[in-house]
Amino acid sequence: MNTKGVMQRAMPNLKNNYWLVRHGRSLANEAGIIIAKKENGVKPEYGLADLGKKQALEAGALLKERLASSPSGLSKLVVYSSPFSRTIQTAQGVLEGAGIPETPIQMKDELMERGFGTVLETKSALDGYNKTWEQDAKDTAYKAGSLEGSDDGESVDDVSARVRSMFKGFEEAHEDMNILLVSHGDTLSIMQATMEEGDRKQHTRYQFSNCELRLLGSGPGEAKGPGFI
């Protein structure tokens, strides 16, 4: 049983509990295209679809329920989001659904989508992701899009490094907080594999469905197969 007033940490080596949520169903998801570059991701035309807005509200209600048994609950919630329109709108919806819409949302570039390279930007998501994940399973140094001719994509190792650096900053800045991180599919799957010391070549085992809420330290979730994009 948890001692009254003391946070039970999901990962004993961390000072905080981290709640991970992928953005809701987006207009880019509905178009079936990759939008991973910041200059495109911040545009309103790549924000949430109507379904995604509904998913965000539902995720907020679930977060409120999950934190109801926590000594600090929503009162010690800190929110960080990727600066993309789809993640900001998701964070806003989650907070509304949790009944705390005035909670500040802090932007973090480290939470942005994995870079898939210029050649794959706005191209088929199903095609680009599957080809990338096939290479990831062989080599975590593989840079997404390099087979297609891009030289500006990110590897699993690249994303893992920015995630580690980000968590170092969080752990220095906060203690005994519930920290909500609103991000993207590959960034979150690599994040969880990295922080839970899983096999990063198999980061797709940690795939997130749209607006899936997951506590870091809980292992793989419910998303299955390529249909989650």
Side-chain angles (χ1 to χ4, degrees):
M1 181 177 292
N2 193 18
T3 304
K4 185 176 180 181
V6 178
M7 174 180 280
Q8 184 175 357
R9 296 171 185 161
M11 295 188 67
N13 61 316
L14 297 178
K15 297 177 182 178
N16 305 282
N17 277 338
Y18 293 89
W19 296 87
L20 316 180
V21 64
R22 182 176 174 238
H23 61 80
R25 179 78 173 174
S26 70
L27 295 170
N29 288 150
E30 295 204 330
I33 58 174
I34 293 174
I35 298 294
K37 286 185 172 291
K38 187 176 183 180
E39 59 262 35
N40 291 325
V42 298
K43 294 177 180 177
E45 57 260 43
Y46 294 124
L48 291 184
D50 288 342
L51 175 58
K53 295 173 184 176
K54 179 176 180 287
Q55 290 170 331
L57 292 171
E58 292 171 349
L62 178 60
L63 178 66
K64 182 177 181 179
E65 178 186 316
R66 295 284 299 275
L67 290 182
S69 60
S70 169
S72 53
L74 293 170
S75 67
K76 280 197 165 186
L77 183 69
V78 180
V79 183
Y80 291 95
S81 173
S82 155
F84 285 23
S85 59
R86 59 189 186 262
T87 42
I88 294 172
Q89 290 173 2
T90 298
Q92 291 168 337
V94 168
L95 293 174
E96 183 181 346
I100 48 171
E102 302 304 317
T103 302
I105 301 169
Q106 303 178 60
M107 303 302 146
K108 273 283 184 186
D109 280 358
E110 292 94 332
L111 288 170
M112 291 195 304
E113 178 61 290
R114 175 187 185 176
F116 282 87
T118 301
V119 175
L120 291 180
E121 186 76 0
T122 72
K123 301 300 191 301
S124 167
L126 191 60
D127 237 24
Y129 290 156
N130 284 336
K131 288 178 181 177
T132 299
W133 295 334
E134 184 179 341
Q135 297 303 315
D136 289 347
K138 300 174 185 176
D139 183 6
T140 57
Y142 170 76
K143 291 189 179 292
S146 59
L147 285 180
E148 290 79 14
S150 287
D151 60 3
D152 57 347
E154 284 187 296
S155 67
V156 171
D157 290 343
D158 292 332
V159 177
S160 184
R162 66 168 151 106
V163 161
R164 289 185 189 279
S165 175
M166 178 182 69
F167 270 83
K168 183 175 184 293
F170 289 155
E171 290 290 285
E172 290 171 352
H174 305 292
E175 186 169 0
D176 287 337
M177 301 295 286
N178 287 302
I179 300 180
L180 178 68
L181 305 180
V182 187
S183 188
H184 306 263
D186 260 34
T187 302
L188 287 170
S189 65
I190 295 169
M191 178 190 301
Q192 195 173 7
T194 297
M195 299 309 296
E196 294 184 8
E197 298 184 349
D199 182 356
R200 291 182 297 116
K201 287 183 178 179
Q202 302 298 324
H203 70 88
T204 54
R205 289 181 59 245
Y206 296 88
Q207 286 175 351
F208 280 69
S209 56
N210 287 121
C211 262
E212 182 180 349
L213 178 70
R214 197 181 298 172
L215 178 63
L216 185 67
S218 62
E222 62 191 38
K224 303 290 182 186
F228 86 101
I229 61 174

